[in-house]
Amino acid sequence: MSGFVFPTKETPILCQGITSEMGAVHTERAIAYGSRIVAGTSRDKRIRQFLDIPVYQTVKAAVRRHKPKISVIFSTPRRALADVEEAIKARIPLIVCTAEHVPLHDTLKMKELAQKYQVTLIGPSSPGIVVVDQLLAGNAPAHLFPKGNVGIIGRSSSLVYEAVQQLRQAGLGVSTGICLGAAPLVGTSFKPFLEAFLKDRQTKAILVVGQIHGALECELAEAYRKSRRKKPLIVYIPGISLVSSSKIPLMGTKTLVPAEIIKEKQALLKKAKAILVSAPELMGQTVAEQLK
Amino acid sequence: MEIYESYVKQILKKNGVPIPKGGIAYTPEEACRIAEEIGGNAWVVKAQVMSFDRYKGKFQEEAAQELSGIVWANAPQAVAGITEQMLGRHFLSPEMQGVPQIVERVYVEEACHATAEMRLSLRIDFVSQNLVLATEFDGQQHSYTLTQKPLSMKQIQSVVRDMGWRDGDAKEVAELLQKLYALFVKYEAIAVEFSPVFKLLQGGFSVLNARIIFDTDSLFRYPDVAALQEFPRGREREAAAQKYNFRYTQLDGNIACLVNGVGLGLATIDMIHAKGGRVACLLDVGTEPTKEAVSKALRLALSEPSIDGVLVNIYGGITRCDTIAEGIISAAHEVLAGLPFVVRMAGTNAHIGRRLLFESRMPFVVSEQMDDAVTEIIHEVQEVA
């Protein structure tokens, strides 16, 4: 998974579940945004074409004809594993899984397969990736992202949109935005995208909207500290005011957040010279100060 | 999601895990009869509450003050007496986070005498994003991150060796670990814990207590387990939240917060706390709520007497602000009752949502910015109080 490079408007995209309600709506939006959707799949055998896009029954058939480099998957939580597995085994290098409430053991299997086949899986419960003015792969509200030079990687989508609004109000914009998904287990961590942003010429600063749970920010901090390339890295972690209390809402898993992990995250990020945002309303302003 | 010990024990028995003889009782007479059926000369009465640390807990009433949640008895009559003391009383342990639960039944079990005691657990670790197997025996703790699946016999044997078991014991402990792993896989659990496991005086091993944390998102594949889920009195709000597909978290302040997404929710809580307010509960309606879910969530929040105000903070991506507005208006018609109510809406269809709120002619304070909305609700709540 080393050397992730952001896709462009030329990158061919497959949409799995194109004829589903969500698939149809978001494929239309993606096309309107300029994404190059080259094929779709549907379990409905009668459908050969949809929105002028050729539709296949299997990912394999679509891959043989169109060689997509991204697959965006719209499926139910029950079908998500089978659909993701199909895309991984067809070796599509970038896969976006939008389904929410995917069983955790299914996510474990997805992660294992993605690693084995060396593909990048974003999600589950991810609205995908927006390369501003190039493409939308997923169901994020791309029209809300003004063009600019801040790269964003986040977990929970609504907080990423909040961050984008703050950037806009600070007179800034976004180069590329990615949501990894807010579920406790996700396909890909921050690290490959951090490395891509450090190389990306469009990007002058990186904003990470983290999560109180888990330790993906520790790995991020270490990767940033060891990297020879430097761009300002600004990190906001929501929920810090709850750390002393043991009730932290997380997807109903009753997992408590040990205070030591939060402290470790903050310490590692500080040691790596990342900038920690102290309050949620200051995300945009903090990035703006770094870009002055 | 967790279920009562008595149900966990049924699952263990069905899957060939050695457990003490026992049974469930709703009355002192039943408890006495179960003790007689089990036989022997000592029994344990265990309060059935949603907590794993019952031995650390206490009853709130004076009549049962000297009891913990797990009590020994040396005659069937004593079993009945203890059951009598426990039933209908409020029990609270550290794990229950300040919400006592009324004991409605007990589990009566044969008492076991141990020559050694250990703990085994397997869980999905959200920190390392991997499976972690942990053991505790003889003052020694070990933990292993499992990258290879399935768990091989060779790995199990090395875990057993690390614990210090030899010969016949080693074989039995290895079998227990195999069964622990099999349960974890079979029920797609978040965690399975055998704690404690006794090496019995008369030989063999027995799992005295166990916990299985189920994944609510995979329960559709286990209708028989889903049917065992119960919400104790005092946690009815969580039950309603699950039914309508939103998440409810109770905190200890006086402002109810409704949001779409856990990240935005936590950020909102941070901001309220930073500005001197306290959050009573967080209602996360997720990405694609229906109007009914939003309305139900608000009615649920407002049924709490401790609420002095409501803040709705929505950033619409896939979430449509007009749907949220419809849900708010339908709930507010019934329950608003003069409470301060601030709505922040931005993103998809926010202008339609704000217009709907305005046209409803109800006294909502509508805001576009998150920090304005938070400042406003704190100010209004302070005026009311």
Side-chain angles (χ1 to χ4, degrees):
Chain A
M1 258 181 276
S2 65
F4 181 85
V5 179
F6 296 119
T8 67
K9 64 167 75 159
E10 307 303 327
T11 310
I13 303 174
L14 168 72
C15 176
Q16 286 174 250
I18 194 167
T19 55
S20 67
E21 200 186 325
M22 287 286 274
V25 171
H26 294 290
T27 302
E28 263 191 315
R29 284 195 194 152
I31 293 169
Y33 194 73
S35 305
R36 198 176 147 226
I37 314 259
V38 293
T41 62
S42 171
R43 269 183 287 285
D44 189 335
K45 290 180 186 173
R46 293 161 306 176
I47 301 175
R48 297 288 166 82
Q49 207 167 26
F50 187 74
L51 305 167
D52 288 333
I53 297 163
V55 175
Y56 300 84
Q57 277 177 48
T58 65
V59 173
K60 213 171 158 186
V63 166
R64 201 179 311 132
R65 276 286 191 81
H66 302 278
K67 311 222 162 3
K69 295 286 176 251
I70 302 177
S71 182
V72 179
I73 304 176
F74 295 98
S75 58
T76 61
R78 294 169 194 232
R79 289 278 323 175
L81 174 61
D83 290 341
V84 168
E85 189 170 349
E86 210 187 337
I88 292 176
K89 289 189 170 162
R91 295 178 191 273
I92 299 176
L94 178 60
I95 296 162
V96 174
C97 176
T98 59
E100 294 182 313
H101 297 290
V102 172
L104 289 165
H105 279 239
D106 287 1
T107 308
L108 282 172
K109 286 177 198 133
M110 288 180 195
K111 280 167 68 75
E112 235 174 80
L113 281 167
Q115 201 161 26
K116 186 171 159 201
Y117 284 81
Q118 291 288 297
V119 302
T120 304
L121 168 68
I122 306 182
S125 68
S126 162
I129 173 167
V130 181
V131 183
V132 179
D133 284 356
Q134 295 281 323
L135 92 160
L136 158 65
N139 55 16
H143 61 281
L144 296 173
F145 287 58
K147 181 144 182 73
N149 53 21
V150 181
I152 296 189
I153 328 166
R155 294 292 300 266
S156 182
S157 56
S158 48
L159 191 56
V160 168
Y161 308 152
E162 169 70 35
V164 171
Q165 172 174 308
Q166 289 184 21
L167 290 176
R168 190 174 63 227
Q169 285 165 349
L172 298 170
V174 178
S175 55
T176 291
I178 304 151
C179 288
L180 306 178
L185 281 180
V186 288
T188 308
S189 63
F190 296 111
K191 193 180 157 196
F193 303 113
L194 169 80
E195 284 161 357
F197 276 130
L198 288 170
K199 285 183 210 155
D200 179 40
R201 288 208 186 142
Q202 304 293 323
T203 303
K204 302 283 180 241
I206 303 150
L207 173 62
V208 166
V209 182
Q211 203 176 40
I212 191 112
H213 307 281
L216 296 188
E217 293 80 6
C218 296
E219 186 206 41
L220 169 85
E222 284 302 279
Y224 183 65
R225 191 173 61 82
K226 286 179 189 152
S227 169
R228 267 187 292 153
R229 295 171 199 264
K230 292 289 171 202
K231 288 174 187 179
L233 174 66
I234 299 103
V235 183
Y236 172 63
I237 300 171
I240 300 282
S241 72
L242 282 174
V243 170
S244 54
S245 127
S246 54
K247 279 183 195 171
I248 300 187
L250 170 72
M251 321 304 287
T253 53
K254 205 184 180 181
T255 302
L256 305 183
V257 182
E260 310 87 69
I261 290 172
I262 314 295
K263 285 198 186 110
E264 193 188 333
K265 274 188 203 186
Q266 290 175 317
L268 285 172
L269 285 165
K270 275 183 193 152
K271 191 175 155 202
K273 299 200 168 61
I275 292 116
L276 289 169
V277 181
S278 56
E281 68 272 29
L282 299 178
M283 289 187 281
Q285 197 183 316
T286 312
V287 177
E289 279 160 17
Q290 291 304 314
L291 283 174
K292 256 182 205 158
Chain B
M1 190 281 273
E2 289 188 67
I3 53 178
Y4 286 113
E5 179 197 11
S6 56
Y7 300 138
V8 175
K9 288 272 166 71
Q10 282 172 13
I11 289 177
L12 296 191
K13 199 170 170 187
K14 206 165 78 184
N15 289 279
V17 179
I19 54 167
K21 279 186 250 169
I24 189 89
Y26 292 82
T27 62
E29 296 74 39
E30 267 184 296
C32 180
R33 199 171 57 238
I34 289 165
E36 282 165 357
E37 277 167 20
I38 292 170
N41 53 20
W43 299 266
V44 184
V45 185
K46 300 162 107 178
Q48 295 301 288
V49 289
M50 288 292 181
S51 152
F52 203 56
D53 57 354
R54 283 169 300 183
Y55 58 94
K56 287 186 200 160
K58 270 192 171 155
F59 283 88
Q60 309 290 290
E61 288 86 355
E62 225 167 274
Q65 219 173 17
E66 76 281 11
L67 300 183
S68 85
I70 298 175
V71 182
W72 274 61
N74 42 25
Q77 261 59 45
V79 169
I82 291 159
T83 305
E84 171 103 59
Q85 272 182 290
M86 285 183 172
L87 290 175
R89 301 255 148 78
H90 291 78
F91 181 79
L92 183 65
S93 74
E95 208 184 80
M96 294 162 80
Q97 300 179 335
V99 186
Q101 190 189 328
I102 297 172
V103 177
E104 286 165 341
R105 60 199 125 160
V106 297
Y107 190 73
V108 180
E109 211 167 52
E110 65 175 314
C112 297
H113 301 274
T115 56
E117 187 181 329
M118 66 176 167
R119 296 170 204 287
L120 308 169
S121 73
L122 177 61
R123 68 191 154 91
I124 303 177
D125 177 39
F126 299 122
V127 171
S128 67
Q129 302 260 305
N130 258 312
L131 302 191
V132 171
L133 175 69
T135 66
E136 191 184 322
F137 173 56
D138 207 12
Q140 299 264 350
Q141 292 182 357
H142 295 279
S143 135
Y144 311 83
T145 301
L146 305 183
T147 45
Q148 288 283 316
K149 279 159 279 196
L151 188 58
S152 70
M153 200 55 213
K154 213 173 145 189
Q155 267 177 300
I156 289 179
Q157 280 161 351
S158 109
V159 170
V160 173
R161 251 195 322 275
D162 288 351
M163 290 173 80
W165 295 106
R166 299 278 174 271
D167 310 321
D169 286 344
K171 201 172 150 250
E172 283 188 59
V173 175
E175 270 170 27
L176 274 174
L177 279 167
Q178 262 180 314
K179 282 174 180 158
L180 178 89
Y181 183 75
L183 279 170
F184 180 80
V185 172
K186 180 173 177 184
Y187 293 97
E188 298 186 46
I190 294 174
V192 181
E193 196 176 332
F194 292 171
S195 173
V197 181
F198 275 12
K199 187 189 173 193
L200 301 170
L201 195 60
Q202 69 268 35
F205 287 83
S206 188
V207 176
L208 268 76
N209 200 5
R211 145 188 269 179
I212 305 176
I213 303 181
F214 297 94
D215 175 6
T216 43
D217 288 335
S218 73
L219 280 185
F220 66 86
R221 288 197 273 248
Y222 310 94
D224 48 337
V225 173
L228 301 176
Q229 184 177 22
E230 288 174 43
F231 287 93
R233 272 189 252 170
R235 286 177 52 194
E236 294 87 354
R237 290 190 177 90
E238 285 167 56
Q242 190 172 311
K243 187 171 160 209
Y244 286 89
N245 217 1
F246 58 88
R247 296 186 197 283
Y248 172 87
T249 308
Q250 194 176 1
L251 295 152
D252 52 11
N254 58 354
I255 299 172
C257 262
L258 183 137
V259 298
N260 64 327
V262 63
L264 189 64
L266 291 171
T268 309
I269 292 175
D270 277 353
M271 202 187 273
I272 290 176
H273 289 174
K275 290 181 192 270
R278 298 301 300 172
V279 177
C281 60
L282 185 72
L283 305 146
D284 177 5
V285 294
T287 310
E288 276 188 288
T290 58
K291 174 185 151 187
E292 288 70 32
V294 173
S295 158
K296 184 75 197 172
L298 281 173
R299 269 181 273 182
L300 190 86
L302 292 167
S303 67
E304 253 177 90
S306 60
I307 303 291
D308 291 330
V310 182
L311 172 66
V312 175
N313 184 14
I314 300 291
Y315 207 108
I318 304 164
T319 313
R320 291 167 43 157
C321 291
D322 50 333
T323 310
I324 304 275
E326 284 170 8
I328 293 174
I329 293 164
S330 109
H333 266 302
E334 290 176 36
V335 290
L336 195 54
L339 280 183
F341 200 118
V342 177
V343 183
R344 182 277 179 129
M345 273 183 182
T348 307
N349 291 356
H351 57 292
I352 306 175
R354 287 196 293 264
R355 197 184 65 220
L356 288 172
L357 292 175
F358 178 73
E359 285 171 354
S360 76
R361 293 164 182 265
M362 280 187 269
F364 302 115
V365 177
V366 182
S367 164
E368 266 179 78
Q369 300 289 340
M370 181 167 160
D371 50 342
D372 293 348
V374 169
T375 309
E376 184 66 33
I377 189 67
I378 291 173
H379 177 73
E380 292 210 15
V381 164
Q382 277 163 354
E383 286 209 335
V384 170

